[in-house]
Amino acid sequence: MKPRATGTRRPRKTRFSVTFSEGASRALITVGGIGTIAAVALIFVFLLWVVVPLFTAPTVEAAERLSAGSLEAPRAVLIDEYQLLASTLDADGTLRTFDFASGEKIGERKPLEQRPSAVSLSPEGRDFAAGFEDGSVRIGRFGYRSYFPPEAELAPELRAIEDGVVVRYEDGVLQRVQDGALRFQGIDVELSDPLSMRKSTPIERIAHTARDDGMVLCVWTDGGLIFVETEERTNFLTGEVVLDLSETELAYEPDPSRGTPDYLLLVGRGDNVLLLWEDGRLERVDVRDPESASVVEVVDVVPADGEVVTALSFLIGKSTLVVGDSTGAVRSWFRIKPEAAGTPDGTVFVPAHRFGSTGSAVTALAPSPRSRLISVGREDGTVQIYQATTEALLVELEVGPDAIRALSMSPKEDGLCVLTAADEVMRWDMDPRHPEADLTALFAPVWYEGYEQPAHVWQSESGTDEFEPKLGFLPLIYGTLKATLYSMLFGAPLALFAALYTSEFLSRRLRTPIKSIIEMMASLPSVVLGFLAALVIAPVAQTVVPATLVSFVTLPLALLLGAYLWQLLPQRLSIRWSGWQRLCCMGLALPVGVLSALALGPWVEGLLFAGNIELWLDGQRGNGVGGWLILLLPLCALLWTLFGGRALGPWMRRRSANWSRHQCAVLDIAKFGVGIAASIGVALLVSSLLDGAGYDPRGSYVGTYVQRNALIVGFVMGFAIIPIIYTLAEDALSSVPEHLRLASLGAGATPWQTAVRVIVPTAMSGLFSAVMIGLGRAVGETMIVLMATGNTPVMDMNIFNGFRTLSANIAVELPEAVQNSTHYRALFLAALVLFAMTFTLNTLAELVRLRFRKRAVQL
């Protein structure tokens, strides 16, 4: 109780409303803070939950085993997509089908009436072409047919089948599926009528491949090498499909000492023929024009002496050839197009990948029918499954002591079927998970099919099943950093200098409206800025590229020249006009700089860029002096500024100590002019020396001009981050205690010296925080970079080229990604990488900010 003036005591008690408000506020702030931390943590946990399956190991589980009886030189083993049936194909064309559930043979047929003398199987073992002794050819396809028979037509015991039970029915099996229907699964063979060649000589080797307009064949006979193109033609009267043959006897002269090649292959869509002998000699014949076909390259696919080819197969797409040899080595080969190929067709057959060797001879190879997996069977009874792009070993199985004779992967890639030398057929349930997205593929250079060398590439989708996914993250991370760099180079200096001017030099009456106008810039949606950048700014900038480059010089020069000319005004007048008059003069300097750039642009283009800057950037004309000048001119200007401040400044202050204001202003203008001339002269001299030494900057930070490029993004996204940096920086500068300003001014410092040496160091923690928040805004920007960059995931420092950022990539591809697919999870990994980048940047920024804050406290 405290005595009142009247002598009575007043009770000291806080009102309930105040206590309640304080408690409620504290609770809300606590809940909000904890909720924010929890939300960020949950986002991180969710991203991890989606991404972790990318890196889980594949699983394989033995399922069933059956005896195939006695097989005569089996050529292939097949398995249906539901893994209910297995089929074996013998060298004589006998096709046997087995039921995994009962382990019994449910059918045997011989679709070819006579024994083929040569057989060609597609990589997945479905399509085939058979040649015969009489010179005829038949084309066919193995397949498994499925249909749902009406239950009313089935026997009662079949209608009573329970879910998951498999029973034999006709030449296949019946199974009741999850929706209650009965599904029939059986083998089916489609076979063409015999196709007669012009020469009835025995066919010793045959190869086939499919084109959009028909089948392409190549046969080896005693008469030579014959290239056959087929075209399907439908009789419009009968509806019958007829195959028309077009035969070309290739001008190929075999080496009599080598005899018949052991393997005959057609690459891709049939533009190359490969002749391969057991000792590893491979001859590549260019048949793009069959009339003038010739051997364009000879390579050795088993370089070591004594090795022999024991198995080979194409991967899906028939562009990559996988070769296994007697030492157990497995290599993949494909064609590339280097600049110095040295071959008539400009391509070279190269060994791109080598898979692990166990020392046991390779006896069977089987590619996946839907991805880049390859299964390898060996003489010691082991099986390995590799990812052909990354060379990663996914699965290794010990099947038994008997050699592997044939392999097959199910169409859904969820099963593996193996035929051993003991004529046993075994099946494994398999889940390869996401083998194409391991750490090597994501963050290391990978040698992709058709590329000259390992590279970082992002290309997640294509229009064909043979597409090789390319999930390199470095182009996306590079694009994110590139967008951030150029936008910060443009936006951060403008925002910081604007904040410094507003806080320290602009009159208080104008400070609030100017700050409000700049803050209103933040209200513009990024999609609007991106739209303007893509459809307005980028096309206009392309028509005035030289003027745009010159404007980066003329605009600062116009402002600086205006500042120096302002010093010529009488002191009383300059003080009186320090408000809106000076601001208007600064505004007039901008159009002067723009008009000067437009006027000087064509002259600079003719002088430095050979009259056409786009052709110059593409390397078609001119030398590299102009490119070096773009880089060196700002550096020379910076060096002159440092030299003028450290060396000339003290000398000029001593000499002009007793000069008038007008004389000092004239001296500053003269110094400014000398600095411009010296910077341009030194930059031109160094640029000429570098160009004379053979160094051309084209292809590095400058290069081919693309309309939507980093320069446009830097300007527009810099415009987007200016309000954020400006607002926070101005608040930080304005919050510096007023007594520090007064003390500095009272000690005789000028307003500029006070701003640079007192205010800025004191507010450095706030300024740094403003820059880092702007940096975070630039890193996470989506719509501007999506619409204004061309959205091309390339690793190119060229300021006139586009790029793709992590955020834009997520926005573009996530709506099209199949849920839980490799592509889907890789996009969530991109989000996690972006999360980690911003988290790391913010953490480092906070550490630096705390250091600046400690230094500021000492003031």
Side-chain angles (χ1 to χ4, degrees):
M1 301 289 288
K2 181 179 180 180
R4 298 185 182 180
T6 58
T8 61
R9 291 185 176 274
R10 181 184 63 182
R12 178 173 292 176
K13 182 179 180 182
T14 304
R15 286 183 296 176
F16 172 76
S17 59
V18 175
T19 305
F20 177 79
S21 298
E22 182 180 356
S25 300
R26 184 183 295 110
L28 287 175
I29 293 172
T30 302
V31 171
I34 295 175
T36 301
I37 297 173
V40 174
L42 285 175
I43 292 173
F44 180 73
V45 170
F46 176 73
L47 292 176
L48 279 179
W49 178 71
V50 178
V51 168
V52 164
L54 276 178
F55 307 105
T56 54
T59 60
V60 176
E61 183 178 350
E64 290 154 325
R65 177 192 298 257
L66 59 87
S67 175
S70 179
L71 304 178
E72 179 190 352
R75 296 293 303 270
V77 60
L78 308 175
I79 185 172
D80 72 303
E81 62 176 320
Y82 303 110
Q83 303 186 55
L84 302 176
L85 304 175
S87 302
T88 61
L89 178 66
D90 290 355
D92 63 354
T94 302
L95 184 65
R96 298 177 176 87
T97 304
F98 302 88
D99 169 23
F100 274 119
S102 64
E104 299 177 355
K105 182 171 67 175
I106 60 175
E108 179 177 330
R109 66 173 76 178
K110 198 169 184 178
L112 302 175
E113 291 81 5
Q114 54 180 319
R115 184 185 182 95
S117 57
V119 176
S120 170
L121 290 171
S122 61
E124 69 277 5
R126 307 293 180 179
D127 299 327
F128 69 92
F132 301 92
E133 294 287 343
D134 60 1
S136 63
V137 174
R138 300 193 74 175
I139 301 172
R141 177 177 177 79
F142 301 114
Y144 291 95
R145 69 184 189 277
S146 298
Y147 69 90
F148 295 88
E151 292 196 33
E153 300 177 3
L154 300 177
E157 61 273 15
L158 296 177
R159 294 199 298 268
I161 296 175
E162 297 180 355
D163 290 350
V165 176
V166 179
V167 298
R168 182 173 177 178
Y169 177 69
E170 295 180 352
D171 59 344
V173 294
L174 275 178
Q175 182 186 33
R176 189 172 296 280
V177 294
Q178 292 181 353
D179 60 0
L182 284 173
R183 181 183 61 213
F184 171 82
Q185 189 79 359
I187 189 71
D188 192 19
V189 181
E190 299 176 5
L191 197 60
S192 71
D193 294 331
L195 307 175
S196 299
M197 309 287 288
R198 287 198 298 262
K199 295 182 179 180
S200 300
T201 54
I203 295 177
E204 300 179 39
R205 298 287 184 267
I206 186 170
H208 81 289
T209 190
R211 284 181 182 170
D212 295 335
D213 56 351
M215 190 74 71
V216 179
L217 303 172
C218 188
V219 297
W220 176 284
T221 69
D222 290 340
L225 194 59
I226 302 174
F227 188 75
V228 182
E229 296 176 279
T230 69
E231 183 178 358
E232 292 186 355
R233 178 174 54 84
T234 303
N235 190 315
F236 70 95
L237 295 177
T238 64
E240 181 182 4
V241 177
V242 180
L243 284 178
D244 292 333
L245 298 185
S246 174
E247 297 183 35
T248 304
E249 187 169 350
L250 303 181
Y252 173 79
E253 297 182 1
D255 184 354
S257 64
R258 302 201 64 85
T260 302
D262 297 287
Y263 303 94
L264 182 64
L265 306 161
L266 278 168
V267 180
R269 296 293 181 261
D271 57 345
N272 273 194
V273 176
L274 304 181
L275 297 94
L276 178 61
W277 282 264
E278 190 180 58
D279 62 357
R281 177 184 174 88
L282 183 144
E283 297 181 1
R284 186 167 62 87
V285 182
D286 182 9
V287 291
R288 289 176 296 176
D289 182 9
E291 298 291 340
S292 58
S294 62
V295 177
V296 293
E297 187 180 11
V298 177
V299 297
D300 192 354
V301 297
V302 283
D305 294 336
E307 297 182 15
V308 295
V309 176
T310 54
L312 57 81
S313 176
F314 279 111
L315 293 179
I316 183 173
K318 300 192 71 174
S319 294
T320 299
L321 179 66
V322 182
V323 180
D325 59 39
S326 56
T327 66
V330 181
R331 302 175 181 87
S332 66
W333 296 69
F334 53 69
R335 293 173 295 173
I336 62 172
K337 291 184 177 181
E339 292 184 2
T343 57
D345 64 345
T347 63
V348 179
F349 209 52
V350 296
H353 300 287
R354 180 186 174 97
F355 308 98
S357 174
T358 63
S360 178
V362 178
T363 55
L365 293 169
S368 167
R370 63 183 299 176
S371 72
R372 315 293 290 188
L373 299 186
I374 181 76
S375 53
V376 180
R378 300 185 182 274
E379 192 175 29
D380 61 359
T382 59
V383 174
Q384 293 87 31
I385 299 178
Y386 294 94
Q387 214 290 327
T389 302
T390 63
E391 305 177 13
L393 175 62
L394 306 179
V395 173
E396 185 166 13
L397 300 173
E398 293 185 3
V399 178
D402 302 305
I404 308 299
R405 302 177 73 176
L407 295 162
S408 178
M409 299 180 70
S410 65
K412 293 182 179 180
E413 218 173 55
D414 57 354
L416 176 68
C417 189
V418 176
L419 175 64
T420 68
D423 294 332
E424 284 189 319
V425 179
M426 285 167 279
R427 182 179 72 84
W428 280 265
D429 290 324
M430 181 178 69
D431 183 1
R433 301 295 172 91
H434 308 280
E436 61 270 31
D438 64 359
L439 290 175
T440 300
L442 294 171
F443 299 105
V446 176
W447 200 344
Y448 296 105
E449 187 177 86
Y451 283 67
E452 294 184 25
Q453 59 187 359
H456 296 282
V457 183
W458 175 275
Q459 187 183 0
S460 59
E461 295 177 327
S462 181
T464 62
D465 294 335
E466 301 91 15
F467 170 69
E468 182 177 26
K470 304 170 184 66
L471 301 177
F473 269 37
L474 254 63
L476 305 179
I477 297 173
Y478 187 89
T480 302
L481 297 177
K482 183 179 180 181
T484 303
L485 172 64
Y486 285 123
S487 60
M488 293 298 292
L489 283 177
F490 178 81
L494 287 179
L496 292 175
F497 283 124
L500 183 62
Y501 175 77
T502 304
S503 172
E504 303 303 318
F505 301 99
L506 190 63
S507 66
R508 295 184 180 276
R509 187 167 56 87
L510 296 176
R511 187 177 304 173
T512 300
I514 293 297
K515 183 178 180 182
S516 300
I517 292 172
I518 296 178
E519 288 175 346
M520 286 179 61
M521 293 167 53
S523 65
L524 287 175
S526 60
V527 66
V528 174
L529 293 176
F531 180 83
L532 292 175
L535 300 183
V536 178
I537 298 175
V540 172
Q542 187 175 14
T543 62
V544 288
V545 176
T548 302
L549 295 178
V550 174
S551 68
F552 287 99
V553 177
T554 58
L555 283 173
L557 287 182
L559 288 170
L560 290 173
L561 182 61
Y564 282 114
L565 292 175
W566 185 268
Q567 296 182 105
L568 293 175
L569 293 175
Q571 186 174 5
R572 183 179 303 175
L573 191 60
S574 65
I575 294 174
R576 183 184 303 173
W577 286 0
S578 62
W580 63 269
Q581 296 91 344
R582 184 168 61 179
L583 193 61
C584 290
C585 291
M586 292 173 62
L588 289 175
L590 296 179
V592 171
V594 172
L595 293 175
S596 301
L598 292 174
L600 293 174
W603 179 78
V604 171
E605 184 177 31
L607 180 65
L608 299 177
F609 305 116
N612 190 316
I613 192 170
E614 292 194 29
L615 293 179
W616 180 88
L617 287 170
D618 201 36
Q620 300 183 31
R621 59 172 63 178
N623 54 37
V625 172
W628 286 119
L629 193 65
I630 295 173
L631 177 65
L632 294 176
L633 187 57
L635 296 178
C636 290
L638 179 61
L639 291 176
W640 172 260
T641 302
L642 295 175
F643 173 75
R646 297 294 178 87
L648 291 180
W651 178 82
M652 291 178 62
R653 283 193 293 271
R654 289 194 302 269
R655 293 297 302 268
S656 61
N658 299 319
W659 290 9
S660 66
R661 171 185 169 87
H662 182 79
Q663 290 175 319
C664 291
V666 172
L667 180 63
D668 280 343
I669 293 175
K671 174 187 171 184
F672 178 64
V674 172
I676 294 174
S679 298
I680 295 176
V682 173
L684 277 173
L685 176 62
V686 178
S687 299
S688 301
L689 292 175
L690 289 172
D691 182 69
Y695 297 104
D696 196 327
R698 288 173 290 185
S700 56
Y701 69 95
V702 293
T704 302
Y705 188 89
V706 179
Q707 187 184 86
R708 301 181 183 183
N709 54 55
L711 181 65
I712 302 299
V713 172
F715 173 75
V716 177
M717 199 154 73
F719 183 84
I721 66 175
I722 283 176
I724 300 173
I725 300 177
Y726 168 82
T727 299
L728 297 175
E730 202 278 336
D731 290 341
L733 292 168
S734 299
S735 63
V736 174
E738 189 65 23
H739 67 269
L740 294 179
R741 289 186 180 86
L742 297 177
S744 176
L745 294 172
T750 65
W752 174 252
Q753 290 172 331
T754 300
V756 173
R757 300 183 182 182
V758 177
I759 305 302
V760 170
T762 306
M764 186 58 72
S765 63
L767 297 178
F768 187 77
S769 297
V771 171
M772 294 311 298
I773 291 176
L775 182 68
R777 169 77 165 82
V779 168
E781 175 56 45
T782 302
M783 295 311 300
I784 294 176
V785 294
L786 178 63
M787 302 174 71
T789 63
N791 215 21
T792 51
V794 294
M795 294 181 65
D796 187 358
M797 199 59 190
N798 179 12
I799 193 173
F800 301 114
N801 201 356
F803 50 86
R804 180 183 289 190
T805 65
L806 288 165
S807 57
N809 189 65
I810 296 169
V812 168
E813 299 192 5
L814 190 59
E816 306 296 331
V818 178
Q819 189 173 11
N820 296 327
S821 64
T822 302
H823 182 204
Y824 176 85
R825 297 186 187 278
L827 293 176
F828 272 85
L829 178 60
L832 185 62
V833 170
L834 187 60
F835 184 96
M837 288 175 60
T838 55
F839 182 81
T840 302
L841 285 174
N842 289 333
T843 302
L844 295 176
E846 182 64 16
L847 295 175
V848 176
R849 188 190 70 83
L850 290 175
R851 184 176 180 181
F852 282 135
R853 189 172 183 180
K854 290 179 181 179
R855 292 177 58 185
V857 169
Q858 296 174 359
L859 297 176

